[in-house]
Amino acid sequence: MISVKHLCKRFGEHTVLNGIDLTVNNGEVVAIIGPSGSGKSTLLRCLNLLEVPQSGQISIGQVVLDYAHYDAKEAYALRRKSAMVFQNYSLFKNKTTLENVTEVLKVVKKIKKDQIQPLAMQYLAKVGMADFASQYPVTLSGGQQQRVGIARAMAVDPDVILFDEPTSALDPERVNEVLHVIQNLAQQKTTMIIVTHEMEFARHVADRIIFMMDGQIVEQGTPQQIFDESTHPKTQKFLRKIMTYDQD
Ligand SMILES: Nc1ncnc2c1ncn2[C@@H]1O[C@H](COP(=O)(O)OP(=O)(O)OP(=O)(O)O)[C@@H](O)[C@H]1O
Ligand SMILES: [Mg+2]
């Protein structure tokens, strides 16, 4: 389980996250939506210390960390609990598809040498990329690269996978193949936090939707509660805007 309490993050004078409280249960899929600049990416980055908040506490599984006072050992332990999938794939360009996954298995996990390659192939098979094992990222489409990125995140065997707009850099015809992989992970009860502007996807894949604005969680609930039944003016305004945009 993931628990975040009273998380505050400022950049200089600018408060970007203002007292975030968040709980995510094992096997739960949470989608975070909200306008640009509301702090969605920053929140994800605070969960694995890519950004360091000024205050707050986080626990993932057995690892507990106080953002205001922690040591290198605690930071390492926390980072090992999650894996992040970025918008821009961020694969190792000089490594093949297979090597991108074996590298993680070598570095992050203590796996016997002769088991590394078969295990990496299993992860690639899960995202439909086994046939591309020997190809370099530059020879893959964006959607294929993103699927390798997801295989690599799975190889870390994290408690939670964090996705920051995993499809927003993709050509429209490539979006679905990545969404499909994420949907499969959800069916296998992988704990995931997904920042997305794909509202239909969020509706179908997420157990819970969190709507953020101005560094705060405005409201959260089931997809039906947020998308169909919300009476909160801020939520309604945001959804109206994004729906109009989608139809353009
Ligand atoms: N490294 C940084 N230094 C200064 N300000 C930052 C930094 N990173 C983010 N910010 C500011 O924090 C606020 C929240 O940014 P964040 O990237 O978390 O928003 P977001 O909700 O992910 O937006 P988008 O939907 O556009 O990705 C913005 O005002 C942004 O300018
Ligand atoms: Mg963002």
Side-chain angles (χ1 to χ4, degrees), residues 11 14 16 34-43 51 165:
F11 289 110
H14 183 192
V16 170
S36 182
S38 54
K40 307 179 298 292
S41 297
T42 305
L43 174 57
E51 295 289 354
E165 302 199 12

Side-chain angles (χ1 to χ4, degrees), residues 51-174:
E51 295 289 354
V52 181
Q54 276 73 20
S55 59
Q57 295 87 41
I58 179 169
S59 64
I60 305 183
Q62 301 303 311
V63 177
V64 182
L65 181 143
D66 187 326
Y67 284 123
H69 326 267
Y70 63 86
D71 59 28
K73 206 172 145 200
E74 290 171 318
Y76 178 78
L78 184 74
R79 287 198 177 104
R80 286 289 307 272
K81 288 287 179 185
S82 62
M84 189 136 174
V85 175
F86 298 92
Q87 187 175 344
N88 291 318
Y89 333 130
S90 64
L91 298 179
F92 305 118
K93 301 271 179 281
N94 59 341
K95 295 192 190 305
T96 63
T97 294
L98 179 64
E99 287 163 355
N100 261 278
V101 182
T102 55
E103 195 63 22
V104 167
L105 292 171
K106 278 184 219 159
V107 174
V108 179
K109 299 213 314 184
K110 304 269 176 288
I111 305 240
K112 283 199 192 125
K113 225 174 168 184
D114 58 339
Q115 287 170 7
I116 287 178
Q117 191 152 325
L119 186 57
M121 287 304 290
Q122 279 179 29
Y123 285 116
L124 287 175
K126 284 188 181 168
V127 298
M129 287 300 291
D131 290 347
F132 300 84
S134 59
Q135 288 186 216
Y136 284 87
V138 69
T139 70
L140 303 175
S141 73
Q144 291 168 336
Q145 290 186 50
Q146 193 57 303
R147 287 189 277 150
V148 177
I150 294 171
R152 204 173 55 170
M154 291 161 71
V156 179
D157 194 22
D159 282 28
V160 56
I161 305 184
L162 312 172
F163 294 84
D164 194 358
E165 302 199 12
T167 61
S168 61
L170 298 178
D171 295 334
E173 66 270 26
R174 290 291 182 176

Side-chain angles (χ1 to χ4, degrees), residues 2-7 20-24 43 47 56-60 67:
I2 301 166
S3 162
V4 173
K5 290 197 186 101
H6 316 306
L7 189 162
I20 299 282
D21 291 312
L22 173 70
T23 305
V24 180
L43 174 57
L47 300 183
Q57 295 87 41
I58 179 169
S59 64
I60 305 183
Y67 284 123

